[in-house]
Amino acid sequence: MSKRGWLLFLAMGVIWGIPYAMIRVAVRDFDPVVVAFGRTFLGALVLLPIALYTKGLLPALRRWRWVLLYTLVEVTGPWLLIGHAETKLTSSTVGLLIAAVPLVTILIVTRLGHERLDRRRVIGLLVGFGGVAALVGLDIDMSDLGALAAIGVSVLGYAVGAILIGRKLGDLPPIGVAAASLIFAAVIYAPFTLWRMPAHYPAAPTWSVVGLGLVCTALAFVVFFALIAEVGPSRATVFTYINPAVALLIGVTLLREPLSAGMAIGFPLVILGSILGTVRAKPEVKEPAPA
């Protein structure tokens, strides 16, 4: 891999590893729907001119039904549900649970008959879900089951969204799909946001929302597409195994979240299981999800 490829690779590992901490900070003062709207609105504001300049928006809008479905399962639902979950769970726990997306993706594609579930993948799934079980069993309080369910739905949505990209939207300009989906999401969130607008805008949560929109959404997509162009789609998705480590490191060091036994046991198992379970997967089903 070239020096530029390594820089882009490391940048993506950090950029999509930090949203969980930012969301955690933002939802302490803002309603999760306000956070989700701010992120999608700012992201769309930046990506829309790029999509128009590169003529990528119109092709995406021509297939608006599939783009809308992708938006609902990949952006609108997960970003709102993750925000709600982080009012109860630590950002570290959420980041590690989201790392199960590749495991759920491979389960779906093998169930649909698109790929074969060989011995290595079976072992990977067992190891990975064993890690999730360790996280849930050791770290999640029974009063947080609603938050856990929100993360479960988000993981499923991310997995379905990855498949939609590969099967229905893979031939479209990526920047056009990203811009269109953010616009759709912002429009969906807007009426609910009007009823939840905060009376005050403290600095920390406000800057967290700005960071989510400009860095973890707009910049993330631009860097990701540059990484794909530099190293190819298959190698580009490997950074998804770094994201949970970044989320864990930031949560423990900056937000003073506890490093629990569930994290210590579950984290390596989830990552190892994801690697074993997806190592032979086709590139399009390993498309990572934004946080």
Side-chain angles (χ1 to χ4, degrees):
M1 189 184 297
S2 66
K3 182 179 180 181
R4 183 172 184 268
W6 276 112
L7 290 174
L8 292 170
F9 177 84
L10 293 174
M12 283 309 306
V14 174
I15 290 173
W16 269 343
I18 61 177
Y20 305 103
M22 289 185 172
I23 293 171
R24 177 69 171 172
V25 171
V27 297
R28 288 173 179 170
D29 292 275
F30 298 157
D31 189 278
V33 74
V34 174
V35 176
F37 171 76
R39 180 180 184 181
T40 54
F41 178 77
L42 290 173
L45 209 60
V46 174
L47 292 185
L48 178 58
I50 301 175
L52 290 173
Y53 179 77
T54 58
K55 299 181 180 179
L57 184 63
L58 190 57
L61 292 179
R62 290 196 186 104
R63 215 173 298 175
W64 66 269
R65 291 180 179 84
W66 286 113
V67 175
L68 178 59
L69 178 59
Y70 168 78
T71 301
L72 293 173
V73 301
E74 181 82 7
V75 180
T76 311
W79 290 6
L80 179 60
L81 290 173
I82 289 173
H84 277 291
E86 291 210 37
T87 63
K88 298 288 187 180
L89 304 177
T90 66
S91 66
S92 307
T93 300
V94 171
L96 296 184
L97 289 173
I98 293 294
V101 169
L103 301 174
V104 176
T105 304
I106 198 61
L107 269 181
I108 294 174
V109 296
T110 52
R111 180 67 178 174
L112 293 175
H114 296 310
E115 296 193 23
R116 187 170 59 90
L117 193 63
D118 57 20
R119 182 182 300 177
R120 177 180 293 184
R121 284 184 173 168
V122 170
I123 294 173
L125 290 171
L126 292 175
V127 171
F129 284 119
V132 172
L135 279 168
V136 173
L138 296 175
D139 289 354
I140 308 297
D141 188 89
M142 292 301 290
S143 63
D144 296 333
L145 289 182
L148 181 62
I151 295 301
V153 173
S154 300
V155 168
L156 180 61
Y158 279 157
V160 173
I163 295 170
L164 284 175
I165 283 289
R167 307 294 173 183
K168 299 297 182 180
L169 303 172
D171 59 324
L172 295 177
I175 196 72
V177 175
S181 64
L182 291 176
I183 292 170
F184 287 160
V187 171
I188 293 170
Y189 288 140
F192 303 99
T193 304
L194 291 176
W195 293 97
R196 301 286 186 174
M197 290 298 289
H200 305 285
Y201 293 85
T206 300
W207 282 112
S208 292
V209 173
V210 172
L212 283 168
L214 299 184
V215 178
C216 301
T217 303
L219 178 62
F221 278 120
V222 172
V223 174
F224 181 54
F225 299 147
L227 179 61
I228 290 177
E230 183 72 19
V231 304
S234 181
R235 296 175 71 187
T237 57
V238 177
F239 76 85
T240 55
Y241 304 127
I242 299 177
N243 296 354
V246 174
L248 177 61
L249 180 63
I250 292 176
V252 171
T253 58
L254 298 184
L255 300 185
R256 306 299 182 186
E257 295 175 351
L259 179 60
S260 64
M263 293 177 186
I265 298 172
F267 169 65
L269 292 179
V270 171
I271 300 306
L272 177 60
S274 295
I275 294 173
L276 290 175
T278 62
V279 68
R280 294 181 182 178
K282 295 179 182 179
E284 64 266 27
V285 302
K286 291 175 62 181
E287 180 82 15

